[in-house]
């Protein structure tokens, strides 16, 4: 059995290598979303859909976090589980993980990708998605370095409350967008 200190000595370098792998893939996703978003935004701006869609998505994602909706991302198939033996292998394992969106991050990911698409800026898109990947990497590193008992007790105690809070904030921000930022596509008078 591997001791905690030895496990942490292995976990940190692997996590530190895994995260840039996710960041590389995420940067590519950000660039693609910004490029595709630019064309879609041109199509949607005439009807102010570029303002309505993020607000609508925000409300849907808030409802997801509150547990009212149950949205699922499509699965691309099962991946074989492998443990990296070197940091290079950890980096390579991080590359496909950049495509992974876990159920608890679906609302956040959809908002992030929507912002990137709306920005239509490839540099901002890459930077935003790299930041998102680093955030995922930090969480994975913390989980890798802490005992599972500590993580389990934290998750059991706070996850539901954090999700409810985040869902409420998303819905309120979306309502704000609708009432104070969105222009009506058709004059109401």
């Amino acid at each position: 059995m591997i001791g905690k200190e030895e496990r942490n000595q292995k976990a940190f370098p692997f996590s530190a290598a895994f995260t840039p792998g996710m960041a590389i893939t995420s940067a590519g996703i950000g660039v693609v979303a910004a490029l595709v978003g630019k064309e879609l935004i041109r199509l949607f701006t005439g009807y102010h859909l570029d303002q309505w869609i993020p607000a609508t998505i925000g409300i849907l994602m808030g409802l997801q976090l509150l547990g009212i909706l149950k949205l699922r991302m499509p699965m691309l198939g099962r991946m074989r589980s492998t443990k990296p033996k070197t940091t290079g292998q950890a980096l390579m394992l991080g590359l496909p993980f950049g495509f992974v969106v876990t159920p608890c991050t679906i609302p956040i990911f959809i908002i992030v990708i929507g912002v990137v698409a709306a920005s239509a800026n490839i540099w901002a898109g890459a930077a935003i998605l790299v930041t998102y990947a680093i955030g995922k990497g930090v969480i994975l590193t913390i989980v890798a370095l802490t005992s599972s008992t500590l993580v389990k007790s934290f998750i059991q105690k706070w996850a539901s409350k954090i999700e409810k809070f985040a869902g409420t904030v998303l819905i309120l921000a979306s309502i704000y967008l609708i009432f104070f930022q969105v222009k009506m596509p058709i004059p109401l008078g």
Side-chain angles (χ1 to χ4, degrees):
M1 181 137 188
I2 298 174
K4 183 179 177 183
E5 188 175 314
E6 185 180 344
R7 187 177 64 236
N8 285 351
Q9 287 174 347
K10 288 182 176 184
F12 184 75
F14 285 2
S15 298
F18 182 82
T19 300
M22 285 193 309
I24 291 167
T25 303
S26 295
I29 293 170
V31 168
V32 170
L35 290 172
V36 172
K38 186 183 286 188
E39 295 304 316
L40 289 176
I41 295 300
R42 284 186 190 144
L43 177 67
F44 292 152
T45 53
Y47 295 101
H48 302 290
L49 294 177
D50 57 324
Q51 296 170 341
W52 281 99
I53 290 173
T56 304
I57 290 173
I59 290 171
L60 292 173
M61 295 303 100
L63 293 172
Q64 163 90 6
L65 285 170
L66 291 173
I68 296 168
L69 288 180
K70 298 290 182 198
L71 305 172
R72 302 206 185 280
M73 294 294 282
M75 292 196 48
L76 299 174
R78 296 262 180 225
M79 293 177 76
R80 200 170 38 97
S81 175
T82 59
K83 286 187 178 183
K85 294 177 178 47
T86 67
T87 54
Q89 288 176 343
L91 175 79
M92 297 306 289
L93 187 60
L95 290 170
F97 202 83
F99 290 110
V100 173
V101 180
T102 58
C104 61
T105 63
I106 289 171
I108 297 160
F109 177 77
I110 289 177
I111 295 296
V112 167
I113 206 75
V115 167
V116 167
S119 79
N121 181 318
I122 61 172
W123 296 107
I128 290 168
L129 266 292
V130 164
T131 303
Y132 174 77
I134 291 170
K136 284 193 328 186
V138 167
I139 292 168
L140 291 172
T141 301
I142 290 169
V143 169
L145 295 175
T146 59
S147 72
S148 62
T149 306
L150 176 67
V151 173
K152 264 187 187 175
S153 68
F154 176 81
I155 289 172
Q156 287 173 345
K157 183 175 181 180
W158 292 102
S160 175
K161 293 173 183 150
I162 292 169
E163 283 184 1
K164 302 275 188 251
F165 176 76
T168 303
V169 169
L170 270 175
I171 291 170
L172 291 174
S174 298
I175 290 170
Y176 173 82
L177 284 174
I178 291 171
F179 288 107
F180 298 106
Q181 300 296 316
V182 174
K183 296 173 184 73
M184 293 303 205
I186 301 169
L188 296 177

